[in-house]
Amino acid sequence: MGPVSVDEARLAAWLGASAVRVTPLGDGHSNLTYAVHVSDEAASHEYVLRRPPEGPLLPTAHDVVREYRVLTLLNRDGRARVPRVVAAYEDPDVIGAPFYLMERLHGEVVRETLPSWLGAEADRRALGLDLADALAEIHTVDWRLFVAEGLGRESG
């Protein structure tokens, strides 16, 4: 099954933009991810759109609005390096499913082959330490915020 299409005209109208171009990012097997290029008279912007796959889903599976809420809390004080979320929409009337938008951060996804800029051991070590720092930033966010928002339990 190919990627699910997103109605660009309806998304543009919802965003109040004159033009929107949507292209799939990656080939994920869970929630779907798209690059969204928005153009209007004043400027152009790049976002990432996340939406569940097509077809029947369990009520709590593929909850992109929950993802949005988690990212919003992680962004609350700016200490954690996560994308800034822009908007979420729960009603499927715009693109056929709930979705959210976040800023697009450009980078390289390292899979089977290391990029040339990671050729030196010192560079790989620096990247690994930076990854540990990013995870530590996420884990310094007060967990009680998530409990207060109904996204977790005090026990566990």
Side-chain angles (χ1 to χ4, degrees), residues 135-150:
L135 290 170
E137 292 165 9
I138 289 170
H139 286 84
T140 62
V141 176
D142 187 352
W143 60 269
R144 290 175 289 240
L145 293 172
F146 297 89
V147 173
E149 292 293 323

Side-chain angles (χ1 to χ4, degrees), residues 16-151:
S18 55
V20 169
R21 188 175 79 249
V22 178
T23 55
L25 284 175
D27 50 354
H29 302 287
S30 186
N31 288 330
L32 305 174
T33 307
Y34 298 88
V36 177
H37 304 273
V38 179
S39 301
D40 57 31
E41 295 171 8
S44 64
H45 307 280
E46 281 188 290
Y47 301 106
V48 170
L49 182 146
R50 296 268 295 158
R51 62 152 293 158
E54 285 187 321
L57 304 172
L58 296 173
T60 58
H62 306 285
D63 190 348
V64 295
V65 175
R66 181 181 174 87
E67 283 183 20
Y68 169 83
R69 293 172 61 208
V70 168
L71 284 170
T72 299
L73 291 172
L74 290 174
N75 262 306
R76 182 171 272 182
D77 64 8
R79 287 187 297 179
R81 284 180 272 176
V82 296
R84 182 181 56 85
V85 289
V86 177
Y89 197 68
E90 292 187 54
D91 196 325
D93 65 340
V94 174
I95 67 165
F99 67 95
Y100 74 93
L101 291 171
M102 63 183 147
E103 70 179 328
R104 181 162 187 196
L105 301 175
H106 290 275
E108 190 164 355
V109 177
V110 178
R111 289 200 161 85
E112 295 87 26
T113 307
L114 288 177
S116 60
W117 57 271
L118 282 175
E121 183 179 337
D123 294 331
R124 292 190 302 275
R125 176 177 165 68
L127 179 64
L129 292 172
D130 193 49
L131 175 61
D133 287 344
L135 290 170
E137 292 165 9
I138 289 170
H139 286 84
T140 62
V141 176
D142 187 352
W143 60 269
R144 290 175 289 240
L145 293 172
F146 297 89
V147 173
E149 292 293 323
L151 294 170

